[in-house]
Amino acid sequence: MQVLPAFPQQGVVRHILRERVDSDRCRAAVVVVHDPTGRQRVVPLGQELRIGRLPDNGLALDWDGNVSRRHAHITRTASGWVLVDDSSRNGCYVNGERVTDQSALHDGDVLRFGDTVMLFRAPAGADVSRRSEESGSLPRPTTRG
């Protein structure tokens, strides 16, 4: 009987599945980030999440010297979730494209601030639109190459 080598991405697949289970379990929009020690953090968004190097941010990336003190924030609008760059020095990226002002977010988007990469999760039902309560449209993403 021939033994096949282990699937090389097996650990990555388990890791992604664990992230999906964790975010689906809380049924809320979250960002999933790993600190330099490899510790995974699942951070619920609430109405707004401030991201930066200072400890008073909702998500403090104090280990990343390429992150500004007040780098960006993710906010919920009537139409969905938006990432807003707060005039950061090194910019914000959504799926590899630089955000110059703000960008709509969708479940599964990969965000980067400085050298830190994170996953945006908004499981079905987590970003329920409040269009009946508020009017307005989601801003179009503004990017530069």
Side-chain angles (χ1 to χ4, degrees), residues 14 48 60 62-63 65 69 74 79 81 90 102 112 116 123:
R14 264 191 243 121
E48 180 176 273
D62 56 358
W63 61 82
R69 291 174 290 182
I74 298 172
S79 301
W81 294 96
N90 293 315
Q102 55 189 357
R112 182 167 65 86
T116 302

Side-chain angles (χ1 to χ4, degrees), residues 5 9-11 18 25-26 28 39-40 44 51 66 69-74 102 106 119 125:
Q9 301 296 325
Q10 194 171 25
R18 185 177 67 224
R25 185 176 294 139
C26 70
R39 188 176 136 238
Q40 175 179 298
I51 301 164
N66 290 314
R69 291 174 290 182
R70 304 229 184 270
H71 201 96
H73 63 278
I74 298 172
Q102 55 189 357
H106 306 284
L119 178 67

Side-chain angles (χ1 to χ4, degrees), residues 34-84:
H34 294 88
D35 66 21
T37 67
R39 188 176 136 238
Q40 175 179 298
R41 292 178 54 195
V42 178
V43 182
L45 294 181
Q47 185 64 32
E48 180 176 273
L49 177 68
R50 295 220 166 259
I51 301 164
R53 211 173 58 244
L54 292 177
D56 64 342
N57 286 294
L59 178 54
L61 305 176
D62 56 358
W63 61 82
D64 191 335
N66 290 314
V67 170
S68 298
R69 291 174 290 182
R70 304 229 184 270
H71 201 96
H73 63 278
I74 298 172
T75 189
R76 186 178 190 157
T77 69
S79 301
W81 294 96
V82 178
L83 170 67
V84 180

